[in-house]
Every structure is written in structure tokens, then in C-alpha cells.
Amino acid sequence: MSFKFKLGVGACGFNLGMLVVNLGFRNADAIAALNPDMFSAFGQGMVVIWGATYLAAGIAEAGAAVWCAFALEKLAYAVGWLRWMSRNDAVALVSAAAATGDLGSVLAAVFHASYGPGDAAFMLAFLYAATVREAPKRD
């Protein structure tokens, strides 16, 4: 298996994690309430769609331009996370959500407190994928 295939699968899995934190869209409102600009219900759906595109790119062994575009998309989310973190007390938010005992609230708070580093890591991996030249496959 090539690096790009593995990356596509990994990035898809990371994005499909949205379906866990929003409980199959039953918790979409709680996710959206904390950052409606980036994570409206529609935005959450697009996270899942982006996951499918990463998988498709990995399967197709997409070229450098595609991986660079993916890196730009992840940069937007990483910067959005930094902006959100600068305006919110993530620890207090997670603590308050935990105190309620409501799983949906806890998942929403933990998601917002933690998604940024994963997006930043995938941004770097996508940039690497754009520059790596893998050896041709042998029959």
C-alpha cells in the first residue's frame, strides 16, 4: 500500500469521526452551537464529504495539486480552530459539559477543544504527499 492510499484512508477516518461526535447528526445542533460559522449541520455534512474525497484521492493516487488543495482546506480548519481557541476557554467548556453528564454536550465540547491539531497534522501530511515521489509498482 502506498503512502497516499494510507493517507487517504486515515484522513477519511479522521473526518468520519464527525459522525461519532455528532452522534450520527442527532447531536449536530450541539456541535453547531459552539461554532456555527464552521460547524453548522451543513458544515458537519461537508466534513464527511471531504473525508470521502480524501479516500478517493488516496485510491486514485491523486497528483500534487490535489494534495495541495487538501492542505489548504485543512489550513482553513486549523486557523479556524486557533481563532476559536483564542476566544473560548476550552478547559472550562469541557468541564462545564462534563458537569452536566450529557454525552452530547461533552462530545461537542471535546470535539471543539481538540480537532485543530489533527487538522494541522493532516495539513502537513497532505503537503508531504504533494512532494513525495513513490517508486513505480512492480508486477
Side-chain angles (χ1 to χ4, degrees):
M1 277 188 265
S2 73
F3 171 75
K4 290 177 182 177
F5 176 77
K6 292 176 188 174
L7 179 58
V9 169
C12 178
F14 180 78
N15 275 39
L16 290 181
M18 176 58 74
L19 295 173
V20 174
V21 298
N22 74 11
L23 301 172
F25 289 96
R26 292 175 312 196
N27 196 38
D29 290 342
I31 302 289
L34 297 176
N35 191 346
D37 291 338
M38 287 182 67
F39 292 106
S40 65
F42 177 80
Q44 293 171 56
M46 291 309 298
V47 168
V48 174
I49 299 295
W50 274 108
T53 64
Y54 303 145
L55 180 60
I59 291 169
E61 299 283 331
V66 171
W67 297 106
C68 284
F70 289 167
L72 285 174
E73 183 263 345
K74 286 297 188 186
L75 175 63
Y77 278 93
V79 169
W81 179 77
L82 288 171
R83 289 185 67 222
W84 186 87
M85 290 293 284
S86 73
R87 297 174 180 163
N88 293 276
D89 183 346
V91 173
L93 183 67
V94 171
S95 295
T100 69
D102 177 60
L103 177 63
S105 296
V106 171
L107 288 172
V110 169
F111 168 75
H112 282 288
S114 64
Y115 77 86
D119 279 341
F122 277 107
M123 175 194 69
L124 295 174
F126 290 157
L127 287 173
Y128 177 76
T131 62
V132 69
R133 300 281 186 252
E134 297 190 41
K137 295 179 184 174
R138 296 181 185 182
D139 293 329

